[in-house]
Amino acid sequence: MVKAWIMNALSKEISKIALYYKTTKVAWDNLEERYGVANTSKNYSIQRAITTTTLGSSNIATYFTRLKGYWDELGTCTFGKLCTCGSLLEFIEGQQLIQFLSRLSDTYSTVRSNILMVILVPSIGKAYSLLIRDEKQREIKSDAPIFSSDSSSFLANSQSAHAPPQYNNPRNYTQ
C-alpha cells in the first residue's frame, strides 16, 4: 500500500525504476540517495527570498503564508541526517519567529516588543495569532465612524437644549 502511494507520487520515469525494488524501504532508500541530495543553490535562493520578504503593504496572513512556504521548502533542502532529539526543531522555530517578527512594519512594534519580552518565548503560531488579533483590532478602530466638527457640535448643542434645567443644590443655601 505504501509502495503504491510512493509510485503514484513519482513521475512516470522514476516510478518505472522504483517498481522493481523488492521492498518499500529499499525503494525509499534508493530514491532518497538519488534525489534527496541537498541542493546548495536552491537552499541559497530560498534563504535569500526569506531575507528579502517583508510585510510591506500585505496583511499579516499573506506575509506569514509567504514566509511559511519558504520555510517548508527550505525543510526539503536538508544537509546530512536530521536531528531526532527535538533541539534542532526548537532552534529552527526560534529562528523563524525572529525572521517573522523582524520584518514587520513599525505599526506592529508594540506587539512585537510584547512577544519578545515574555520569558517563555511563544511558538510562531501563537505569535501569528497575537499579530492577527492586533491587525483585526486596528481594522475595527479604522472603521469607527468619525464625526465632523460641525455634526459633533450640533449634537452637543441639541443635547444641552433638551436637557432639564439644573437647579441649585438646596444644601448650598444658608438660612
Side-chain angles (χ1 to χ4, degrees):
M1 181 179 204
V2 175
K3 192 172 183 181
W5 177 80
I6 291 171
M7 300 298 289
N8 287 328
L10 299 172
S11 68
K12 289 182 182 183
E13 297 79 22
I14 297 172
S15 67
K16 287 178 187 176
I17 297 167
L19 179 67
Y20 297 108
Y21 292 109
K22 291 187 182 205
T23 67
T24 305
K25 180 169 178 14
V26 172
W28 183 263
D29 290 345
N30 188 279
L31 290 168
E32 184 177 26
E33 180 181 7
R34 200 176 303 162
Y35 300 104
V37 177
N39 185 337
T40 310
S41 298
K42 183 176 179 183
N43 189 308
Y44 174 82
S45 124
I46 296 167
Q47 291 283 3
R48 188 154 170 99
I50 289 171
T51 43
T52 59
T53 299
T54 60
L55 177 66
S57 61
S58 302
N59 61 20
I60 296 289
T62 303
Y63 167 62
F64 180 78
T65 302
R66 205 172 329 129
L67 275 177
K68 179 77 171 110
Y70 290 138
W71 294 329
D72 290 347
E73 191 175 356
L74 191 60
T76 65
C77 300
T78 59
F79 293 103
K81 299 276 183 197
L82 290 178
C83 170
T84 57
C85 72
S87 295
L88 181 61
L89 295 175
E90 190 176 316
F91 173 77
I92 290 171
E93 183 164 307
Q95 293 297 309
Q96 290 172 346
L97 177 64
I98 298 303
Q99 289 170 349
F100 176 56
L101 294 175
S102 67
R103 291 174 187 87
L104 289 170
S105 63
D106 288 340
T107 306
Y108 297 98
S109 63
T110 304
V111 181
R112 177 179 42 227
S113 294
N114 289 339
I115 291 169
L116 293 172
M117 287 177 41
V118 296
I119 293 171
L120 294 174
V121 179
S123 68
I124 195 159
K126 182 66 175 174
Y128 170 78
S129 174
L130 291 168
L131 285 159
I132 286 290
R133 287 192 294 184
D134 185 70
E135 183 178 63
K136 294 298 177 198
Q137 188 65 30
R138 288 174 194 282
E139 289 174 7
I140 290 170
K141 285 181 183 177
S142 69
D143 289 344
I146 300 172
F147 296 104
S148 70
S149 60
D150 293 340
S151 64
S152 59
S153 63
F154 173 77
L155 288 174
N157 288 336
S158 67
Q159 287 175 349
S160 62
H162 297 294
Q166 297 293 320
Y167 296 105
N168 289 335
N169 188 340
R171 285 184 224 158
N172 292 338
Y173 292 112
T174 56
Q175 293 184 358

